[in-house]
């Protein structure tokens, strides 16, 4: 049964890596990843605010990233 209040979002993109590139980036801590993220807020958040709310959920170590402007040219 489909609920009338359900929403669906599609995110399209492509990321490709050369041999061992992803492992190197993980070792350099170039990626932010977490375990057990409750993603229920993903459908409840306006798209422009999605990254901001997501990064704030990572805790105080990442709070400065949340202060970056959406358009980095505005910095």
């Amino acid at each position: 049964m489909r609920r009338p209040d359900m929403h669906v979002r599609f995110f399209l993109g492509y990321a490709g890596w050369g041999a061992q590139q992803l492992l190197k980036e993980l070792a350099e801590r170039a990626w932010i990843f977490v375990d057990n993220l409750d993603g229920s807020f993903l459908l409840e958040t306006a798209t422009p605010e999605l990254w901001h709310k997501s990064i704030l959920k990572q805790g105080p170590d990442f709070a400065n990233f949340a202060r970056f402007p959406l358009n980095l040219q505005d910095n």
Side-chain angles (χ1 to χ4, degrees):
M1 183 171 136
R2 183 179 289 194
R3 291 181 18 199
D5 62 335
M6 296 282 297
H7 302 280
V8 175
R9 289 187 182 179
F10 292 94
F11 297 90
L12 300 174
Y14 171 80
W17 291 269
Q20 303 297 312
Q21 181 182 351
L22 181 57
L23 292 176
K24 180 181 173 196
E25 290 176 9
L26 290 171
E28 293 171 345
R29 297 175 53 113
W31 289 90
I32 299 169
F33 61 93
V34 295
D35 293 326
N36 302 320
L37 177 65
D38 174 15
S40 62
F41 74 99
L42 292 174
L43 296 176
E44 300 164 358
T45 304
T47 302
E49 300 164 5
L50 191 55
W51 186 86
H52 182 261
K53 279 192 170 185
S54 298
I55 205 71
L56 285 176
K57 286 185 168 284
Q58 308 314 309
D61 291 342
F62 297 98
N64 283 334
F65 292 118
R67 294 186 187 99
F68 289 176
L70 289 176
N71 182 349
L72 292 179
Q73 292 179 341
D74 293 339
N75 192 7

